[in-house]
Amino acid sequence: DGGITQSPKYLFRKEGQNVTLSCEQNLNHDAMYWYRQDPGQGLRLIYYSQIVNDFQKGDIAEGYSVSREKKESFPLTVTSAQKNPTAFYLCASSISGRRTGELFFGEGSRLTVL
Amino acid sequence: QQQVKQSPQSLIVQKGGISIINCAYENTAFDYFPWYQQFPGKGPALLIAIRPDVSEKKEGRFTISFNKSAKQFSLHIMDSQPGDSATYFCAALPPSLEYGNKLVFGAGTILRVKS
């Protein structure tokens, strides 16, 4: 089955530690995205990548970093510089070259900072 | 101008009733308006979408109504069922010279359908 796999599903982190969330897709999509979901705030774009080795900041990129070394993978690192990292993180992908408005989401990773 | 305002924040409807969720936007250049459905612990999934040259789109029990002059669009769920209980997000697609699907999302509406 084609889809997006995010891991881990749940993650606990101590303050001051960096943590990396994994996102892998086998949909052969060029474009990938990271969103953060907080109650009452909808989905806010952290980073996105239209093609391998290229990515751009979204609306709330501060305290986060990404890499896109392979088409299938788009890991997100939540650094110690992120002031309020506890949230639900969603990875998505879409067909590149067409503006369809359709994103395919993974099941998310819930990060809790202790 | 890149915001999409969604209301209500939460909604409780009796089984068989009509659920209505509203969204408003400012940027008249938005050219595609999808709705996403998210069940607890899952990622959102595309439910239904509309382009601004259409006033209404229906798929089964789900209907989008679009009012271009008022810059508003809404989701109607007819004959609401307990299985429809989920969080619903409206979204809008900004115009972009680069290919992409960078959606702008509303804040979400938590729908609970009581049996």
Side-chain angles (χ1 to χ4, degrees):
Chain A
D1 285 338
I4 296 183
T5 302
Q6 289 187 241
S7 63
K9 196 169 180 69
Y10 299 95
L11 186 61
F12 297 88
R13 185 194 96 178
K14 294 182 180 180
E15 280 192 27
Q17 290 181 335
N18 292 355
V19 62
T20 298
L21 307 180
S22 170
C23 177
E24 302 279 332
Q25 56 101 356
N26 60 4
L27 297 169
N28 200 33
H29 288 166
D30 286 307
M32 298 187 74
Y33 311 78
W34 274 105
Y35 282 89
R36 170 178 170 145
Q37 183 175 4
D38 296 283
Q41 297 195 51
L43 305 177
R44 294 181 290 168
L45 184 64
I46 304 173
Y47 268 98
Y48 66 102
S49 169
Q50 300 284 18
I51 198 169
V52 174
N53 292 322
D54 187 49
F55 49 83
Q56 288 79 40
K57 293 181 179 180
D59 300 319
I60 56 165
E62 184 175 353
Y64 300 98
S65 65
V66 294
S67 62
R68 188 81 188 279
E69 297 176 0
K70 298 187 300 181
K71 184 176 183 177
E72 302 80 17
S73 180
F74 191 40
L76 173 73
T77 297
V78 184
T79 75
S80 57
Q82 168 51 231
K83 295 178 182 179
N84 185 20
T86 295
F88 189 53
Y89 291 89
L90 287 160
C91 179
S93 70
S94 71
I95 297 172
S96 190
R98 289 173 54 198
R99 295 176 66 250
T100 65
E102 183 169 14
L103 299 179
F104 294 82
F105 284 90
E107 294 200 339
S109 293
R110 186 167 297 279
L111 172 63
T112 302
V113 174
L114 305 174
Chain B
Q1 282 222 333
Q2 291 292 80
Q3 287 186 329
V4 176
K5 295 183 179 180
Q6 183 172 349
S7 63
Q9 189 172 8
S10 63
L11 181 61
I12 300 175
V13 174
Q14 291 289 340
K15 179 182 176 181
I18 302 173
S19 304
I20 302 174
I21 304 171
N22 300 299
C23 286
Y25 62 96
E26 289 295 325
N27 187 349
T28 56
F30 286 146
D31 60 2
Y32 195 68
F33 300 88
W35 285 87
Y36 281 76
Q37 180 187 54
Q38 181 184 32
F39 293 107
K42 304 293 184 182
L46 179 65
L47 181 64
I48 187 173
I50 196 168
R51 295 201 178 275
D53 55 349
V54 176
S55 61
E56 185 175 281
K57 183 174 181 180
K58 183 176 181 180
E59 290 185 1
R61 296 183 294 107
F62 299 90
T63 300
I64 301 178
S65 297
F66 189 84
N67 186 330
K68 191 173 183 178
S69 60
K71 293 184 287 186
Q72 295 176 347
F73 58 109
S74 60
L75 176 69
H76 292 64
I77 306 174
M78 312 301 288
D79 187 26
S80 298
Q81 299 296 313
D84 297 329
S85 298
T87 299
Y88 292 82
F89 294 97
C90 62
L93 187 62
S96 178
L97 293 176
E98 60 182 318
Y99 289 120
N101 290 283
K102 289 191 302 172
L103 293 169
V104 177
F105 285 91
T109 296
I110 301 172
L111 171 65
R112 179 185 165 206
V113 181
K114 296 174 67 175
S115 56

